[in-house]
Amino acid sequence: ISFNGVDSSLSSLKNCQSYINTGMEIATRVALDLVESFNDEEDVNTMEKVMLEFAAMDRELNHYMRAIEETVSQIKREKPETIPDLKNLVKEKFTALESMNSDSDLQRDEKYVYFKDQLKEMRKQCKSYFLKNNDEAIEQIDEDIAVTQSQMNFICPITQMEMKRPVRNKVCGHVYEEDAILKFIRSREQQKKKLRCPKIGCSHSDVKESDLMPDEALKRAIDSQKKQ
């Protein structure tokens, strides 16, 4: 049995994932714009619902591709004399995977978690800015939020310069200049060695490129400080 047509279709489905990822990135930027512009919280909540819808689409697509791949592997392994009903086999596996879905799956989606973290940081920054310009509001905001802006470190632990394109390590939470950390990682890869987090005192000993995500909220804070 030739699976060339199936392989081609799978490749097309995987391309669809890139569109979903792009949609989630746009939704995140729009939500940050809304928070930064002090828009109504309902608008921000709408973007959160959009993120969950994208996460559900991504999960469904992953399950469908997995069902196809498992069906193909099964047929290759069993080598039946007659061609089975591929459509029904895939449908059965897909239905079984979908039956295990839960809302908590979507809450753990990597891009959704990133979305929530970035919103949290942006809200802190905006409240700190509000503090600086509204002395009467100081008592209404928690002290830890009030000092967030002054505690923020915009300096890369590698270059010791203010960051332009900060990326955050999902594992240890530290931030670096994108070009600097990537150069470090690739240099260690060529030497077949692991890279310890450059932040002094951090115990994380295996920094990977896949662990890095752009820190849009921090970048906006840096840009805002420059403008001021």
Side-chain angles (χ1 to χ4, degrees):
I1 303 173
S2 174
F3 292 101
N4 290 338
V6 175
D7 292 338
S8 176
S9 297
L10 269 176
S11 179
S12 297
L13 286 174
K14 288 176 181 177
N15 285 335
C16 290
Q17 281 189 307
S18 66
Y19 299 130
I20 293 175
N21 289 336
T22 299
M24 296 180 91
E25 289 168 4
I26 292 172
T28 299
R29 289 199 295 270
V30 170
L32 293 177
D33 285 341
L34 291 169
V35 173
E36 196 172 24
S37 304
F38 296 98
N39 273 268
D40 191 88
E41 188 67 19
E42 186 176 340
D43 294 332
V44 180
N45 291 339
T46 298
M47 298 315 301
E48 183 171 349
K49 291 176 184 176
V50 169
M51 287 293 292
L52 289 171
E53 289 173 5
F54 273 125
M57 290 168 57
D58 190 53
R59 180 180 63 185
E60 183 177 356
L61 186 57
N62 280 324
H63 283 170
Y64 191 65
M65 289 191 294
R66 179 178 166 186
I68 293 173
E69 290 168 347
E70 289 182 358
T71 300
V72 170
S73 295
Q74 178 184 336
I75 294 171
K76 286 181 177 179
R77 184 175 61 254
E78 297 175 355
K79 298 179 180 178
E81 293 182 3
T82 58
I83 300 176
D85 190 331
L86 295 178
K87 185 176 181 180
N88 279 338
L89 284 175
V90 170
K91 185 177 180 181
E92 287 175 7
K93 293 182 183 297
F94 174 72
T95 302
L97 291 169
E98 286 286 287
S99 67
M100 296 185 288
N101 287 347
S102 69
D103 290 341
S104 60
D105 296 338
L106 304 181
Q107 303 288 336
R108 291 193 298 268
D109 180 90
E110 185 178 85
K111 286 193 176 292
Y112 177 75
V113 171
Y114 171 76
F115 170 87
K116 295 289 286 183
D117 288 345
Q118 291 287 287
L119 276 188
K120 181 180 177 181
E121 289 303 314
M122 183 58 72
R123 286 185 174 116
K124 283 183 181 179
Q125 291 166 30
C126 289
K127 286 178 180 178
S128 295
Y129 176 81
F130 183 73
L131 264 179
K132 288 182 178 181
N133 294 277
N134 297 269
D135 293 338
E136 295 177 359
I138 292 179
E139 295 180 0
Q140 300 176 23
I141 302 178
D142 294 338
E143 185 178 348
D144 62 324
I145 295 177
V147 298
T148 297
Q149 189 71 28
S150 61
Q151 290 179 338
M152 247 179 200
N153 190 352
F154 298 159
I155 304 301
C156 171
I158 303 170
T159 65
Q160 294 301 309
M161 297 175 65
E162 187 175 84
M163 291 177 281
K164 296 178 180 178
R165 296 176 63 182
V167 290
R168 186 175 297 277
N169 191 321
K170 294 182 292 184
V171 179
C172 62
H174 291 126
V175 186
Y176 333 94
E177 178 63 51
E178 183 178 31
D179 289 343
I181 190 64
L182 289 179
K183 186 176 180 180
F184 254 34
I185 291 173
R186 289 162 188 171
S187 174
R188 286 292 191 278
E189 286 176 347
Q190 289 178 352
Q191 299 169 14
K192 296 184 179 179
K193 294 180 179 179
K194 294 181 180 180
L195 173 66
R196 177 178 289 276
C197 175
K199 185 72 174 180
I200 296 175
C202 182
S203 60
H204 181 44
S205 60
D206 189 13
V207 179
K208 297 183 178 70
E209 188 170 341
S210 58
D211 293 333
L212 306 177
M213 295 194 77
D215 195 325
E216 180 66 23
L218 181 57
K219 184 179 185 303
R220 289 173 184 235
I222 294 170
D223 292 342
S224 176
Q225 186 186 62
K226 286 181 179 177
K227 291 178 182 176
Q228 291 174 22

